Amino acid sequence: MPNVTMLDLDELKQTKLRPYIERSLELRAPDPGFHAMMGHNVDLAETTYLAWTGVFNSGDLDHALKEVIRVNLSRAANCNY
């Protein structure tokens, strides 16, 4: 099983991810673990975050479908969400 090191958020705030991390902490989504894991590749983390917020926060995606996605992702991760 792969083991990805979770990076320190305070260190990641020294990169261009700072505004995204702060916004995520303010909104409580995505989970801080997103940045801690994706921060190994800052450009990929930024692109993924922008895509995620564009879909989930812009209103372009129906709320019911967002909930289906959240539940399926939680089940796939064996999370009790």
Side-chain angles (χ1 to χ4, degrees):
M1 174 179 249
N3 186 6
V4 177
T5 305
M6 302 294 268
L7 301 174
D8 182 64
L9 286 182
D10 289 329
E11 290 179 20
L12 284 173
K13 285 182 181 179
Q14 304 307 313
T15 70
K16 65 180 178 179
L17 296 179
R18 180 185 196 92
Y20 309 127
I21 293 169
E22 290 176 351
R23 182 76 172 147
S24 295
L25 293 172
E26 178 184 325
L27 296 176
R28 299 185 337 177
D31 183 271
F34 169 85
H35 299 289
M37 185 182 313
M38 295 291 290
H40 288 279
N41 183 328
V42 174
D43 292 330
L44 179 62
E46 178 182 37
T47 302
T48 305
Y49 176 83
L50 292 173
W52 187 88
T53 58
V55 170
F56 281 92
N57 295 339
S58 69
D60 292 339
L61 192 62
D62 181 64
H63 181 72
L65 180 55
K66 287 188 236 185
E67 286 302 313
V68 170
I69 293 168
R70 287 184 184 113
V71 169
N72 283 330
L73 289 172
S74 295
R75 288 180 180 164
N78 293 319
C79 174
N80 291 327
Y81 169 79

